Amino acid sequence: MRPDILNPLFAETETLDGVGPKLKKPLDRLGLTRVRDLDYHLPERFVTRRAVHNVDDAGEGEQIVVKLSVTEHRSGRSPRAPYRVLAQDGIGNVIALTYFGRASYNAKKQLPVGETRWVAGKLERFGDMLQIVHPDHVVEEDGETLQRLCEPVYRLSEGLTQPKIAGLVDQSLARTPELPEWIDSSQVNKEDWPTWRDALVLVHKGENAPARDRLAYDELLANSLALMLVRADNRKRKGQPLQGNGTYRGKLALPFPLTGAQRRSIAEIEGDMAQEAPMLRLLQGDVGAGKTIVALEAMLIAVEAGAQAALLAPTEILARQHYESLRRMAEPTGARVALLTGRDKGKAREATLMGLLDGSIDLVVGTHAIFQDAVSYRNLAMVVIDEQHRFGVGQRLMLASKGRRAPHVLAMTATPIPRTLTLAQYGELDVSKLDELPPGRQAIDTVVMGQARIGALVDRLAAQIAEGRQAYWVCPMVREMDGPEEIAAAEARYAALKERFGDDVVMVHGQLGAELKDAAMERFARGDAKLLVATTVIEVGVDVPNATLMVIEQAERFGLAQLHQLRGRVGRGSEKSFCVLLHGETLSETAQKRLALMRESQDGFFLAEEDLRLRGGGELLGTRQSGDTPFAVASLEQITELLPKAYDDARLLMERDGGLEGKRGEAARVLLYLFERDFGVKTLRGG
């Protein structure tokens, strides 16, 4: 049970003053549902403003506070056009206060014509006019008080303002209790770190590296400790030692010989499965490195030993693809393969359930449906989890309850992970790497081009489609954001391409319902549709050998690892494949290096390390690629520097300080619940 001392932190945000149903929606969109979430909603940066009497005293790009007289309101010609309020400073200079989207409603109320207001924001130039886009503050009097040092700037969602979120954070901090110290005292003293609560208060007040590091370390320590507890628990469990005799594997008719990396990984897996302690191994493979064959070999070891094996996929589409390829490869062996998803109904489902129970089905492939209460196995002894990063440690623990004894678990990911992050995400797993590509896998030509050449690119696309090929077109956003820049949203691009190619185009994105998404993907996989317009939902596992062109629009918005994953969707058949990286007019130095690396290398492990090096801590919190790391607080730079120390500290706690017993252990238990890594505590209890 969660310690009582944490109850104020897990109170819902509705318990804060001023939070009703209307404000709850934008807070929920940011994942801010409890007091602790607001505590950890750390500022992305801080601004310092200067009060000026007129804008002649200020420089472009400067954060200022200025007194203005409102002269005119101008609506745009379309709903997407900006709404401008014209105003004058003390000597008659005209400034436009520019608003986009619904923010214009506030402008109408806050800035009546003929009135004087103090306005705070960033002074910019648009054409020959000075402007402040979305002013941070508009007040009637005491404007000089806006000349604050170090005002925090938070990530927002539509319906929230900086003052509103800052006020809620203040309320949350006021409710935050002091917690016992869980870090080893020598580490705290050596780093000169503040206490946990003081660190939280300090990071919301201004740039404070020791306080930020302290909070990052807490998160890394919680993660390391939880993974160690899981691993220790796994070693205590009894699994089934499984030894195959080669009768099934010997009949496999593989299209080409196994690579050295595949043979090495299979040997490591075979060694683990022969032990009584259940295997917990991660199989890391680059795009197209042949993980499925390694997984099948592992599953057939279980079948040879008289047991059953299951493959768990994150989506129905992937489950179907795995089923088709495993069924095809396993056919010569005589092993019986079945598919079970949430969609299966009636007699077909009953037959599959009966086959799993009586043992007539050897291998089952499916989504989470294969672990529902209604599904029973004769002897499930081996589980493969595909695209490991989609499943938390909690789900990995759930698997242990399905076999007579804890099954052997092989987790697979096609996302090469830098060495540092492997420890962070998979600290409880042993790791096998597939770092060689099978013979016959073709290199993909990667081209970088500016958005201006999009017309020529569409013509090239038309030629590919005319030859019977298929293509992907990936966009970074689903709907165009309200803002001055035009973002090529999937919907807008889909509409434009549909005009040219008609019903040959389908679209998928994260906001589509599962059935619509599956239907579109299946049309594309069958070849009925020639062009798939998508957000990054396609980066994992989709296998269409006839697709030979990948277009990634606004490629500068993606991380290297993501770009590499997306590129790996093509080049799966015998035809030459191409990847086109389209970019906007202005590219940061990091973006230029990233795109150059994509052109130069197709080695996912090399790109993952380079991505980490390029981004380091240079990318502010909140602007990192989502899903990069399992951490909300720790930046990549902090992970690199602090994770090894946190890992050692966790080991010290387990080995020297008696684990979760004793004074420091009790504090560590609070830490695990604070970061919701309490599955570590539960493994101890459920052991």
Side-chain angles (χ1 to χ4, degrees):
M1 249 176 72
R2 184 194 300 138
D4 289 345
I5 194 170
L6 292 176
N7 288 345
L9 292 165
F10 284 85
E12 301 288 314
T13 49
E14 292 103 311
T15 61
L16 298 173
D17 293 342
V19 180
K22 190 177 173 187
L23 195 57
K24 188 178 180 318
K25 279 184 183 170
L27 288 172
D28 286 355
R29 281 199 295 271
L30 288 170
L32 306 177
T33 59
R34 302 155 307 182
V35 166
R36 84 166 288 292
D37 303 327
L38 280 161
D39 279 354
Y40 279 105
H41 191 62
L42 305 185
E44 294 190 323
R45 64 182 193 280
F46 292 87
V47 298
T48 305
R49 292 200 189 83
R50 190 165 67 89
V52 295
H53 294 295
N54 62 72
V55 291
D56 290 346
D57 295 342
E60 286 174 32
E62 191 179 353
Q63 292 281 352
I64 62 166
V65 181
V66 63
K67 194 173 186 179
L68 298 173
S69 302
V70 181
T71 57
E72 186 186 345
H73 281 236
R74 285 186 188 170
S75 300
R77 290 180 186 166
S78 75
R80 286 202 178 279
Y83 184 91
R84 289 195 170 91
V85 180
L86 300 186
Q88 292 182 346
D89 66 11
I91 60 170
N93 290 316
V94 177
I95 301 169
L97 307 176
T98 306
Y99 295 85
F100 292 90
R102 292 182 192 167
S104 60
Y105 301 143
N106 291 338
K108 290 167 188 170
K109 283 190 290 187
Q110 290 178 330
L111 294 156
V113 172
E115 296 283 329
T116 302
R117 293 289 185 269
W118 287 91
V119 177
K122 185 178 177 182
L123 186 67
E124 296 173 313
R125 184 173 289 281
F126 180 73
D128 57 0
M129 182 176 275
L130 289 168
Q131 68 171 3
I132 293 175
V133 179
H134 287 277
D136 296 327
H137 300 278
V138 175
V139 297
E140 287 186 48
E141 47 201 44
D142 297 331
E144 276 94 345
T145 59
L146 297 174
Q147 189 180 208
R148 269 174 57 183
L149 282 175
C150 283
E151 181 171 306
V153 177
Y154 295 100
R155 194 157 56 90
L156 298 178
S157 177
E158 194 172 350
L160 280 174
T161 61
Q162 292 296 345
K164 177 64 76 180
I165 202 125
L168 293 174
V169 167
D170 286 346
Q171 280 192 63
S172 295
L173 290 170
R175 293 187 179 196
T176 298
E178 291 280 0
L179 297 180
E181 184 56 81
W182 44 70
I183 303 177
D184 187 57
S185 56
S186 62
Q187 175 76 5
V188 174
N189 295 334
K190 184 176 144 203
E191 303 288 350
D192 199 18
W193 282 341
T195 65
W196 171 76
R197 190 182 184 284
D198 286 351
L200 271 177
V201 172
L202 287 166
V203 295
H204 286 284
K205 285 222 165 99
E207 294 293 352
N208 189 309
R212 279 253 183 189
D213 284 351
R214 151 84 214 218
L215 295 178
Y217 188 87
D218 293 338
E219 186 178 37
L220 297 169
L221 180 62
N223 196 66
S224 299
L225 190 55
L227 295 180
M228 269 180 208
L229 289 165
V230 170
R231 187 171 193 145
D233 174 69
N234 191 64
R235 288 201 167 129
K236 284 191 307 214
R237 287 174 184 269
K238 281 200 163 49
Q240 292 183 58
L242 299 177
Q243 286 185 315
N245 55 14
T247 49
Y248 282 80
R249 287 172 292 161
K251 294 176 187 167
L252 282 172
L254 300 178
F256 29 73
L258 294 173
T259 64
Q262 284 173 318
R263 287 198 300 275
R264 185 181 67 235
S265 297
I266 291 165
E268 289 166 349
I269 291 163
E270 200 165 4
D272 284 0
M273 289 174 71
Q275 307 302 313
E276 191 170 45
M279 170 172 75
L280 266 183
R281 183 169 285 278
L282 174 70
L283 179 63
Q284 255 194 291
D286 201 349
V287 178
K291 290 183 305 304
T292 312
I293 291 170
V294 175
L296 177 59
E297 292 253 0
M299 293 165 87
L300 289 175
I301 291 170
V303 177
E304 289 168 3
Q308 293 163 296
L311 188 149
L312 177 61
T315 66
E316 209 155 297
I317 295 167
L318 283 178
R320 286 180 192 285
Q321 285 192 358
H322 276 305
Y323 167 67
E324 292 298 340
S325 58
L326 287 177
R327 191 174 57 84
R328 194 173 60 246
M329 285 194 286
E331 199 167 3
T333 70
R336 291 145 301 183
V337 187
L339 174 70
L340 183 64
T341 70
R343 266 203 217 165
D344 299 326
K345 300 281 184 287
K347 286 185 178 172
R349 180 180 170 81
E350 288 303 317
T352 304
L353 294 181
M354 187 53 70
L356 292 173
L357 186 59
D358 67 20
S360 58
I361 291 172
D362 300 307
L363 309 177
V364 65
V365 181
T367 53
H368 281 100
I370 63 178
F371 293 113
Q372 286 168 347
D373 291 343
V375 184
S376 298
Y377 295 81
R378 187 178 67 80
N379 182 12
L380 178 66
M382 161 77 197
V383 178
V384 178
I385 307 177
D386 187 35
E387 286 316 327
Q388 170 58 29
H389 65 282
R390 302 283 184 94
F391 300 100
V393 179
Q395 280 122 317
R396 303 211 275 268
L397 294 174
M398 173 192 78
L399 305 180
S401 64
K402 272 296 173 187
R404 286 187 218 156
R405 296 180 177 183
H408 297 282
V409 176
L410 177 68
M412 302 197 298
T413 176
T415 312
I417 305 157
R419 286 183 297 278
T420 317
L421 299 190
T422 305
L423 184 65
Q425 281 168 296
Y426 307 113
E428 89 281 27
L429 303 179
D430 297 307
V431 179
S432 293
K433 266 189 180 181
L434 293 180
D435 45 14
E436 292 173 56
L437 290 186
R441 176 90 194 194
Q442 288 201 37
I444 299 159
D445 280 2
T446 303
V447 182
V448 177
M449 64 168 67
Q451 194 82 14
R453 293 172 60 194
I454 207 163
L457 178 61
V458 172
D459 291 341
R460 169 77 186 272
L461 177 61
Q464 287 271 312
I465 290 173
E467 287 171 18
R469 306 270 165 264
Q470 289 168 274
Y472 299 96
W473 192 300
V474 177
C475 309
M477 295 284 199
V478 176
R479 285 202 171 79
E480 293 187 3
M481 277 167 49
D482 292 320
E485 54 190 328
E486 280 211 336
I487 290 172
E491 289 170 346
R493 183 59 61 210
Y494 171 68
L497 291 167
K498 198 162 176 64
E499 275 185 33
R500 173 86 182 256
F501 299 108
D503 288 341
D504 275 341
V505 191
V506 289
M507 176 172 71
V508 295
H509 57 66
Q511 291 176 19
L512 265 189
E515 290 198 4
L516 287 171
K517 199 186 299 181
D518 281 3
M521 293 292 273
E522 276 169 24
R523 268 198 73 203
F524 186 69
R526 282 198 311 268
D528 297 345
K530 303 297 183 204
L531 176 61
L532 178 68
V533 177
T535 54
T536 54
V537 290
I538 61 157
E539 71 186 82
V540 169
V542 182
D543 190 9
V544 181
N546 190 42
T548 54
L549 177 63
M550 166 65 71
V551 178
I552 304 173
E553 199 164 345
Q554 293 181 56
E556 71 273 21
R557 285 173 167 259
F558 294 91
L560 264 178
Q562 231 180 354
L563 289 171
H564 180 64
Q565 280 295 304
L566 288 166
R567 175 169 63 186
R569 298 304 103 215
V570 295
R572 291 170 169 257
S574 55
E575 298 297 324
K576 183 73 184 161
S577 288
F578 302 87
C579 174
V580 178
L581 305 176
L582 279 174
H583 61 79
E585 285 177 32
T586 50
L587 281 182
S588 69
E589 195 179 332
T590 305
Q592 285 175 19
K593 284 182 185 162
R594 212 177 267 166
L595 297 182
L597 279 165
M598 278 294 292
R599 209 167 41 210
E600 290 158 19
S601 175
Q602 303 204 6
D603 177 343
F605 290 99
F606 167 74
L607 290 174
E609 294 290 347
E610 285 297 303
D611 203 19
L612 188 63
R613 193 179 60 75
L614 266 183
R615 283 195 262 153
E619 294 227 331
L620 293 165
L621 286 163
T623 60
R624 303 200 301 252
Q625 273 74 38
S626 59
D628 271 347
T629 78
F631 303 117
V633 181
S635 69
L636 292 164
E637 191 174 48
Q638 287 169 323
I639 294 166
T640 308
E641 190 184 331
L642 297 173
L643 181 64
K645 295 176 187 173
Y647 199 76
D648 288 344
D649 195 6
R651 199 166 62 228
L652 203 62
L653 176 66
M654 293 284 288
E655 292 170 5
R656 188 195 71 184
D657 298 346
L660 298 190
E661 306 307 319
K663 191 176 173 194
R664 189 173 167 222
E666 284 297 318
R669 196 180 287 257
V670 171
L671 170 72
L672 289 169
Y673 277 96
L674 173 68
F675 279 102
E676 296 174 286
R677 300 294 204 277
D678 42 291
F679 52 75
V681 184
K682 286 171 183 145
T683 55
L684 275 191
R685 273 213 311 275

